[in-house]
Amino acid sequence: MKFDRYRAVNCIRLRESLLSGKYRRQPPVRFTLCERGKIRHIVGPRYKDRVVQRCLCDRFIVPMVSRSLVYTNSASLKGKGTSFARSRFERDMLLASQRYGAAARVFQYDVKNYFRSIPSAWAHAVLSEIILKPYQGRPESDSMSRLLDIAALYSRESDFLTLGNQVNQLAAIAYLNRLDHAFHELLGQGGAGRYMDDGYIFCSEKDLPYIRHLFLAGLESLGLQPNVKACFSSRLNRELTFLKIRFSCADGHPCRHLSQTTLIRYRRHLKSLCSSVDSQELPPEVINASIASFKGVLSGSTARHRRALESKALSPLRTFTDIPGQCPKTAQKCPKTALNVRNCIPSTDNTGNI
């Protein structure tokens, strides 16, 4: 708010400092998060520096880098994301099943401690190579180098890449780009995909040993290590899990299920919210917001499974007092749910309101 109050003046000062080469970034904000049991150290830029960084990334780095990325590299790019990555995984699974038949295999991989394992100097060198290569020997090369010097203020603030920084995010997306192209040249379009450090390669049983060797050799050349527990190969007649969604195509028709761990985690969360609302520590609106958020997650599942998953996920509300419900098998309204009644779940509209 303080920056936006004098936005025009502040933007003019930022522009002048950038053109004169006097721009220096402020000390970042550092804090720690615990996300699903994982400790993550966040290093976020100040608001003034975020303005420069966002303009630099959206107008310069993203257009230049995205031209060299494979189409199935879908993290943090406009028009893509987790929904796009899941749709491509499902499409590639069906194509591999038709192409290889019973010999179809999938190799899924994950990189151990991805951000904290990438040296900042190496990541900046990969960005510079991708951006400057088309402009070697041309007059625009000097302007590109000056913009990359500004990007280096963010990408090289520590020895390894940090979270909470858009330049580092783009550097991490591009860091495995050479490995992505190696897989696509080997398998053709529609055989491999990646969402940040989570990836997959569909291939035949005969090519699987070479695919695994190529992946391990590529990681070693980049100074990375595989996450042993998350690197494995599977047959396509089993359920495959990618980005918290379980995929299967046993009868030739793709089917999606929500991951069981996601369902269990949400039920625990909802049960905790009900207890807090019942003791008047939180207002009832938090339950509505939580259900609306979960329905967005649930939309990734196949339609015919959503009702059963929704019933399981919202089961903690069956014992929640004074909430009018709706019977799961009929459309008739039920009376207010008592503490000892477990045959009703609350009805919700599209916005998640009870």
Side-chain angles (χ1 to χ4, degrees):
M1 293 172 63
K2 189 176 180 180
F3 183 93
D4 196 56
R5 185 177 180 182
Y6 304 101
R7 179 172 50 189
V9 176
N10 289 329
C11 288
I12 291 173
R13 289 175 179 172
L14 274 178
R15 180 179 180 274
E16 291 176 350
S17 63
L18 287 167
L19 291 175
S20 62
K22 297 180 180 179
Y23 172 75
R24 298 292 182 271
R25 67 168 302 181
Q26 294 179 326
V29 180
R30 300 177 183 269
F31 56 95
T32 302
L33 295 178
C34 182
E35 182 185 13
R36 297 192 296 273
K38 295 181 180 179
I39 302 298
R40 301 187 184 275
H41 302 285
I42 311 299
V43 182
R46 303 278 180 175
Y47 189 82
K48 183 187 77 171
D49 299 319
R50 193 176 292 273
V51 172
V52 178
Q53 185 188 97
R54 189 61 185 262
C55 181
L56 177 71
C57 292
D58 292 352
R59 299 299 183 91
F60 171 61
I61 297 179
V62 171
M64 297 297 297
V65 171
S66 60
R67 296 188 301 178
S68 68
L69 300 178
V70 297
Y71 182 67
T72 51
N73 189 339
S74 50
S76 301
L77 296 173
K78 187 177 181 180
K80 298 183 181 180
T82 54
S83 298
F84 174 84
R86 290 164 179 162
S87 299
R88 292 295 300 189
F89 182 88
E90 187 177 71
R91 173 183 176 276
D92 293 344
M93 179 179 62
L94 293 176
L95 290 177
S97 180
Q98 297 170 5
R99 182 178 179 182
Y100 302 115
R105 300 288 186 274
V106 59
F107 177 69
Q108 293 182 253
Y109 62 86
D110 182 73
V111 182
K112 182 179 180 181
N113 198 13
Y114 188 52
F115 271 76
R116 296 296 301 170
S117 299
I118 301 177
S120 300
W122 292 19
H124 185 74
V126 170
L127 275 182
S128 301
E129 180 185 2
I130 292 174
I131 293 174
L132 295 179
K133 188 175 181 180
Y135 295 95
Q136 288 181 354
R138 297 174 58 179
E140 297 91 342
S141 179
D142 294 337
S143 300
M144 300 293 180
S145 299
R146 291 181 61 187
L147 290 172
L148 284 171
D149 290 339
I150 300 173
L153 296 175
Y154 302 97
S155 64
R156 302 185 68 175
E157 64 185 359
S158 61
D159 294 336
F160 297 91
L161 295 187
T162 56
L163 293 169
N165 187 324
Q166 191 178 3
V167 176
N168 287 349
Q169 191 91 357
L170 295 173
I173 292 171
Y175 195 64
L176 295 178
N177 187 44
R178 187 170 294 179
L179 191 61
D180 293 336
H181 281 280
F183 289 138
H184 277 268
E185 290 174 6
L186 178 66
L187 302 171
Q189 187 69 23
R194 179 167 64 91
Y195 186 90
M196 197 56 77
D197 61 327
D198 295 318
Y200 63 87
I201 305 120
F202 287 98
C203 60
S204 64
E205 186 178 7
K206 180 181 66 175
D207 296 332
L208 186 59
Y210 179 71
I211 292 290
R212 188 182 290 110
H213 170 74
L214 182 62
F215 168 72
L216 294 175
L219 282 192
E220 186 178 358
S221 66
L222 294 171
L224 302 176
Q225 294 181 354
N227 186 352
V228 179
K229 294 182 179 179
C231 294
F232 54 88
S233 58
S234 307
R235 298 175 182 268
L236 301 195
N237 57 0
R238 302 177 181 177
E239 276 194 341
L240 307 175
T241 303
F242 183 65
L243 297 181
K244 309 298 182 182
I245 296 291
R246 296 178 294 159
F247 297 85
S248 61
C249 61
D251 56 352
H253 299 284
C255 186
R256 298 186 186 186
H257 301 266
L258 198 66
S259 174
Q260 191 68 20
T261 55
T262 303
L263 191 64
I264 293 172
R265 188 181 297 114
Y266 179 74
R267 290 178 62 183
R268 290 174 181 170
H269 170 70
L270 189 59
K271 189 180 296 184
S272 175
L273 283 183
C274 289
S275 300
S276 299
V277 172
D278 206 16
S279 61
Q280 298 183 351
E281 296 178 9
L282 292 175
E285 290 79 10
V286 298
I287 296 181
N288 301 341
S290 178
I291 292 175
S293 175
F294 178 74
K295 284 196 170 185
V297 177
L298 197 63
S299 63
S301 300
T302 306
R304 62 177 179 269
H305 298 288
R306 291 179 193 170
R307 181 67 180 176
L309 289 174
E310 186 176 337
S311 177
K312 290 181 182 179
L314 301 182
S315 60
L317 289 177
R318 295 173 184 172
T319 58
F320 191 56
T321 59
D322 298 331
I323 294 183
Q326 182 178 2
C327 293
K329 294 184 179 180
T330 64
Q332 299 178 356
K333 291 286 182 180
C334 295
K336 290 186 177 182
T337 308
L339 281 172
N340 58 350
V341 177
R342 292 179 175 268
N343 62 347
C344 296
I345 62 172
S347 62
T348 57
D349 55 19
N350 293 332
T351 61
N353 295 319
I354 298 177

